[in-house]
Each structure stands twice: as structure tokens, then as C-alpha cells.
Amino acid sequence: PHTVVLTFGTVAVLDFLLNWVQHVQRIPSLDPFVVAAIDHSVFDACAVLDVRVFLAPRWQIIANRTNTPQKQHKAASEYFRADLSSFKKMGFVKVLTVAALLEHGYSVLVSDVDVIWLRHPWGVLRAPGKLEHEAAPADGLLALEHAQALEEADLLLGTDNVDMALDASPHRLLEAEINTGVLFVRASDTALAFMHEWAQRCLHTRDGHDQQELNHLLKGCYPPEPHLAHLHSNSERAASGMSALP
């Protein structure tokens, strides 16, 4: 088993993406990393720079609201966060991409293109294939007694809160907004099942984008629905196997 570092991009955020690549390349232990392109312009730009890249699964659905190939290209390339329909579809594509890597046996460290890596996080994440890069206890990242819990977690998450009191609260996962800007997903059957449920929620619920849907799922916001019973069990297992990083 191994771990891959992943980000996503459209041509609208190409400058951010190239900045992300440059910072990741400065940290050898973050290799292998890969870019999931959501349009052909990003794919071509990465290929020219000899950066590992692939077209994200089903990326074309983001542009399916338009008819002509020219309009589809424009729609897929726009910064479409203000367009809820497209933004929800992008969330679906992102989560489906993570699921595809899990199916091939990879654990995945996902970060948005506006993240700048200054050093590797492997001492915290206990990622498969990265244990030789663990930090010494003197680094003060996490106490050794947390190591087993980190290794057993299917999901490692961060929050939007810079709040020491909330970080120390036993209820912080319910009270804080879980952020999808940096997310570690360990290769496991539970994580894979959860990714598929998360993807479907992104695509089919009325209002939520990917971060909202992640929070709804992990906080048990959905009432039981008979036709989604198998999905609810996946959410419960994933919630019991997650850990929040302060």
C-alpha cells in the first residue's frame, strides 16, 4: 500500500495550481503527487511541464448544462463556485476521483490548489508507505499515544476553526465546520463506501456542495431513508473511524 498526494484544477485556477506544484516539488517526500485535471487546458499545461496528470473521472458532467462543444469548453473552464449546479458537480467529480484511487489501493492526501506545502505532514498522518518520514516526538506534532488512533482512522480531517477551546472539546467534530481543503483518506473498504455515498450526495441533494455534504454525513444530519439504508451504514462506520486534526 502507498499514499498519493492529489489536487484538482481548472484553467481558471491554473496559476494557483502551478504554485501548488512548485511547492510540492520542493518536498521530495510528498512524491508521488498527481493532478486531476477538470479540463483539457490543465491537462495540457501539466503534460508540457512533465507533471503527472490525468483527466478526472466524469469531468464532462460539469459542463453538461450547455449544448455546443464551444460552450461546454467555456463552462468547464470557468471559475464556477458561484454556479451552485456546476459547483455541486465539481464536488461529485472530486470525490469520485478519490474513490477511484482508493479502488487501486492508494491512500490519498487531498489538498486544494490554494494550499501551500512548507513541509510534509507524514508524522501526523501515519500514511501507508510514508512511515519512514515520521517526525520524532521532539517535534511536538502529536503525542505517541495518539499514533494507533491515527493509524486506524479512515478519514483524517481539519476544521475551519482557530479556537484552542473548541479544539480541546470532546464535541469539536459536531460543533466545528469540517473543511475539505486538506483531507487524508486511508485505503479501506469503509472509506471507499463512504466516498461513493459522499459523491452521490454531492450530485443529488438540493443545496449542499461537497464540504456541506461531508459535514452533513459525518454529523448524522440525514434521516433514515429506506432506499439509502446501505449508505447510512457506511456514514456511521466512517464517522466512527474519523479523527479531527487540531
Side-chain angles (χ1 to χ4, degrees), residues 2-197:
H2 212 301
T3 298
V4 64
V5 180
L6 173 70
T7 197
F8 301 84
T10 68
V11 70
V13 294
L14 183 58
D15 288 342
F16 281 99
L17 174 62
L18 297 179
N19 185 59
W20 183 93
V21 168
Q22 288 183 7
H23 280 83
V24 169
Q25 287 176 330
R26 294 172 186 171
I27 307 171
S29 62
L30 289 179
D31 200 47
F33 69 89
V34 65
V35 174
I38 305 181
D39 58 47
H40 282 289
S41 296
V42 167
F43 182 90
D44 293 342
C46 289
V48 167
L49 297 172
D50 200 27
V51 171
R52 294 185 196 92
V53 61
F54 63 94
L55 283 168
R58 296 190 64 186
W59 68 274
Q60 300 97 328
I61 74 163
I62 297 170
N64 275 355
R65 68 188 191 281
T66 57
N67 299 317
T68 68
Q70 293 81 6
K71 288 183 178 180
Q72 286 187 350
H73 174 76
K74 182 178 183 295
S77 303
E78 288 175 343
Y79 184 67
F80 38 66
R81 183 159 189 160
D83 182 336
L84 180 59
S85 174
S86 294
F87 195 51
K88 283 168 56 63
K89 291 175 183 177
M90 185 186 69
F92 168 77
V93 169
K94 289 169 62 177
V95 179
L96 203 65
T97 302
V98 175
L101 290 169
L102 294 177
E103 287 172 345
H104 283 84
Y106 290 101
S107 296
V108 187
L109 172 60
V110 188
S111 69
D112 288 346
V113 291
D114 58 354
V115 170
I116 294 177
W117 289 101
L118 301 177
R119 64 173 178 171
H120 71 75
W122 306 131
V124 175
L125 300 184
R126 308 280 292 179
K130 299 293 186 179
L131 298 183
E132 69 272 20
H133 300 293
E134 286 182 11
D139 283 353
L141 291 175
L142 284 174
L144 290 179
E145 59 264 27
H146 295 301
Q148 183 176 358
L150 291 172
E151 285 191 77
E152 293 175 353
D154 297 299
L155 306 175
L156 291 173
L157 310 158
T159 74
D160 275 345
N161 300 83
V162 183
D163 186 323
M164 296 298 290
L166 183 58
D167 284 345
S169 167
H171 307 296
R172 65 187 182 276
L173 292 176
L174 293 176
E175 297 170 355
E177 175 77 4
I178 299 168
N179 188 278
T180 58
V182 179
L183 174 71
F184 179 71
V185 188
R186 197 176 303 278
S188 70
D189 292 341
T190 298
L192 178 59
F194 181 77
M195 289 297 115
H196 283 299
E197 177 177 2

